[in-house]
Amino acid sequence: MYNEIVMDHFQNPRNVGEIADASGVGEIGNVVCGDILRVYIKVKDEILDDVKYMTFGCGAAVASGSMMTTLAKGKTVEEAKKLTNKDVAKALGGLPPQKLHCSNLAADALHKAIEDWMNKTGKGDKLDG
Ligand code: FES
């Protein structure tokens, strides 16, 4: 039911784990199934120097988290804020309709981690204004 890209990211997920001295952490729970995805970011000079994630979700959530980290890593905070759940699902080559809700965790959790970083550093005004 999953395509090759999804299977690859499910079986060899990229950037799984925690960042001990993370600049920001974000967590999202899936309202549909109750699964959780947590994202850690390390920001250097307003660039996402490192992005890691952990999930207690299904295979599609594992693949979505993995793809999100590869898309977000190296981007500026501003660029990463624009990354959507749809972008992640598209980069995965699509997900079966009943699994689309699983891809709604990764980008949202990333945005939460960015928010966390902005709150900690007081950068919110500067980035939004
Ligand atoms: Fe919960 Fe996929 S079934 S994230």
Side-chain angles (χ1 to χ4, degrees):
M1 108 175 152
Y2 293 131
N3 69 38
E4 268 177 34
I5 307 172
V6 177
M7 283 310 289
D8 177 36
H9 279 266
F10 169 48
Q11 288 173 333
N12 312 293
R14 295 13 166 219
N15 307 304
V16 172
E18 300 176 33
I19 300 176
D21 57 343
S23 315
V25 182
E27 184 176 294
I28 291 278
N30 196 320
V31 287
V32 180
C33 62
D35 290 335
I36 289 171
L37 192 140
R38 189 179 304 150
V39 173
Y40 301 81
I41 56 171
K42 185 82 193 161
V43 181
K44 261 191 208 153
D45 299 329
E46 311 223 340
I47 287 174
L48 295 189
D49 193 49
D50 201 7
V51 184
K52 287 200 190 304
Y53 83 104
M54 294 187 43
T55 184
F56 306 100
C58 66
V62 171
S64 300
S66 172
M67 182 55 88
M68 176 279 294
T69 62
T70 63
L71 293 174
K73 229 171 158 170
K75 281 200 168 39
T76 64
V77 172
E78 269 305 300
E79 288 166 345
K81 277 165 74 181
K82 291 185 192 128
L83 190 70
T84 64
N85 292 322
K86 257 193 189 150
D87 293 334
V88 174
K90 204 171 151 199
L92 284 170
L95 283 163
Q98 72 273 25
K99 283 285 167 188
L100 259 184
H101 72 270
C102 312
S103 67
N104 289 342
L105 297 174
D108 286 353
L110 172 69
H111 296 158
K112 280 228 166 182
I114 291 172
E115 249 176 61
D116 185 36
W117 170 76
M118 292 197 314
N119 288 337
K120 280 181 184 158
T121 55
K123 302 250 183 198
D125 291 339
K126 190 178 152 205
L127 286 174
D128 290 331

